[in-house]
Amino acid sequence: MKLLFVLPLILVSSVFSLKCHSQQTCAGHAALCAKPYNKVSFATTHNAYSYAPPAGSPALNQERTIQQQLDDGIRAFMLDTHKPLEITGVWNKIVAWFQTTFHRTNAADAPEIKGVHLCHQSCALVDKGTLYDTLKVFRQFLNENPGEVVTFIIENFDAFEASQLSPSFKLADLERSAFAPTWEHSTSNQNYTWPTLGEMVDRDQRLVVFVDSHTDTAKVPYLLAEWDYVIETPYANIHPVSEFPCTQDRPRDHVPRDLLVVNHFTYNRITIGDNNIDVPLTAKQLQKYGYNSKEQVQTHLDTCTKVWGAERVPNFITLDYYDVSGSTLLDTVNRVNGVSS
């Protein structure tokens, strides 16, 4: 009798398990679970942290916060790490007195945490606070969305060592979800066997971090050297742009890599004497000139197909003010991935 009672439970449990597994989604779609990371396209924001306030700054690139970008479906984020502005004099003495008097021991106040900020060009223009503060937003998102994979492309503006960047990731509890390759480095810088999104989800290796300089994978294995794996199309596209190029701009060794960044954004160039100053177009300008329209983005991708072939996936389609033309970026990424919106 006991055996007859247990067998149906085992069968029901097995069917339920199979059903749950069959309903697994990766990046919102079951069809993407079987695709390797390097064969998937991700909606990407250029200088993702560079949004108001301060309103009216000439260095803004986005309208929406990191949380709003995540909610909208953005899954790859360009971030710039800087040293914060130094505040000297009386203010420093006041802060030091408070810290000494009240014995503050908050880990977020550690020098290695406070010393890495997200800024655009200069922290005097846009300073979004510590890298750690933003990383906490991503930790919460990954906790609440176990089927999502997120990518960082970090411009290490002030040349932090990997050991100076990693404490922010550790304190934000992101190290446990960071992808660290198990392969040996290839001299060709390409043709690695990337895991599928499903494998990354199952292993909780759902954060991929590329840094453009001063990486050391022997010490911090998840901070990956961007130029070992990634190539970028030209980023200094000066308005007016008649045609966005798709040639390999960085690195300039003409050696392909596994991942392709398509930089689809423009600058106003201001010339003062012998100096050129490039300032991002505003959201209103992008609306006026239609750079973020489906037609312009698709034309850019068509150019990439001519250059790289139809099999090459534009992995990171990168826009300023991605939201000014509605769902263009998300629709384009879904079309590349062969899934519905």
Side-chain angles (χ1 to χ4, degrees):
M1 291 294 292
K2 289 184 179 179
L3 183 61
L4 290 175
F5 178 74
V6 171
L7 280 175
L9 289 178
I10 294 175
L11 289 172
V12 170
S13 176
S14 299
V15 170
F16 180 76
S17 176
L18 287 171
K19 183 178 181 181
C20 287
H21 184 74
S22 67
Q23 291 178 342
Q24 181 190 29
T25 62
C26 305
H29 300 275
L32 296 183
C33 290
K35 286 194 174 187
Y37 175 80
N38 65 315
K39 297 298 182 182
V40 178
S41 184
F42 300 93
T44 309
T45 43
H46 175 228
N47 292 335
Y49 59 90
S50 188
Y51 52 85
S57 169
L60 298 183
N61 298 89
Q62 305 297 334
E63 288 186 316
R64 302 193 177 192
T65 67
I66 294 291
Q67 184 61 63
Q68 289 170 328
Q69 293 174 41
L70 284 164
D71 293 342
D72 286 348
I74 303 300
R75 293 295 176 264
F77 302 79
M78 289 187 170
L79 308 172
D80 290 8
T81 51
H82 286 248
K83 296 177 182 177
L85 295 176
E86 290 189 14
I87 303 175
T88 59
V90 175
W91 176 249
N92 263 3
K93 293 180 181 179
I94 294 172
V95 172
W97 180 84
F98 269 98
Q99 290 178 337
T100 302
T101 302
F102 297 103
H103 305 287
R104 297 184 64 186
T105 57
N106 188 345
D109 290 328
E112 60 268 32
I113 303 298
K114 294 174 66 177
V116 184
H117 278 225
L118 294 178
C119 302
H120 188 188
Q121 297 178 353
S122 165
C123 290
L125 294 174
V126 176
D127 186 345
K128 283 302 170 184
T130 64
L131 170 66
Y132 163 70
D133 284 335
T134 292
L135 294 185
K136 289 190 295 183
V137 177
F138 288 103
R139 177 69 271 167
Q140 181 175 348
F141 175 80
L142 291 175
N143 286 345
E144 295 173 353
N145 299 273
E148 296 294 344
V149 175
V150 170
T151 301
F152 296 159
I153 301 173
I154 297 178
E155 181 181 350
N156 191 8
F157 188 89
D158 278 330
F160 294 103
E161 298 298 328
S163 59
Q164 294 175 295
L165 294 176
S166 60
S168 297
F169 285 84
K170 184 175 183 178
L171 186 60
D173 194 29
L174 278 175
E175 283 190 335
R176 65 181 171 90
S177 297
F179 170 72
T182 56
W183 58 61
E184 291 187 10
H185 184 263
S186 168
T187 55
S188 69
N189 287 321
Q190 56 183 321
N191 299 323
Y192 292 98
T193 303
W194 293 85
T196 65
L197 294 194
E199 290 169 337
M200 297 174 78
V201 168
D202 289 342
R203 300 168 187 167
D204 191 22
Q205 294 185 329
R206 297 180 293 129
L207 174 66
V208 184
V209 185
F210 298 109
V211 185
D212 70 346
S213 68
H214 291 75
T215 55
D216 185 348
T217 51
K219 293 181 179 178
V220 187
Y222 60 85
L223 296 182
L224 309 181
E226 179 181 1
W227 309 127
D228 284 354
Y229 306 106
V230 180
I231 60 173
E232 288 193 2
T233 67
Y235 63 90
N237 302 303
I238 306 303
H239 171 71
V241 178
S242 58
E243 182 178 359
F244 284 91
C246 206
T247 52
Q248 181 172 329
D249 185 57
R250 293 189 297 176
R252 295 183 178 177
D253 56 9
H254 306 294
V255 177
R257 269 72 165 172
D258 286 348
L259 298 160
L260 173 63
V261 172
V262 178
N263 288 317
H264 188 86
F265 48 84
T266 56
Y267 291 93
N268 293 307
R269 173 158 288 179
I270 302 171
T271 302
I272 302 175
D274 295 330
N275 299 314
N276 292 322
I277 302 173
D278 294 341
V279 179
L281 266 66
T282 65
K284 288 183 178 180
Q285 284 182 301
L286 286 174
Q287 287 178 322
K288 178 179 179 180
Y289 296 105
Y291 287 126
N292 283 10
S293 68
K294 290 183 180 181
E295 293 75 19
Q296 291 244 23
V297 174
Q298 187 57 52
T299 297
H300 193 175
L301 296 187
D302 291 342
T303 300
C304 292
T305 299
K306 293 175 184 176
V307 173
W308 297 102
E311 296 303 313
R312 186 65 194 249
V313 174
N315 302 99
F316 306 104
I317 304 174
T318 308
L319 269 61
D320 283 342
Y321 295 105
Y322 70 95
D323 56 310
V324 300
S325 57
S327 60
T328 288
L329 180 56
L330 277 299
D331 289 345
T332 301
V333 164
N334 285 332
R335 187 162 59 251
V336 171
N337 287 333
V339 296
S340 59
S341 298

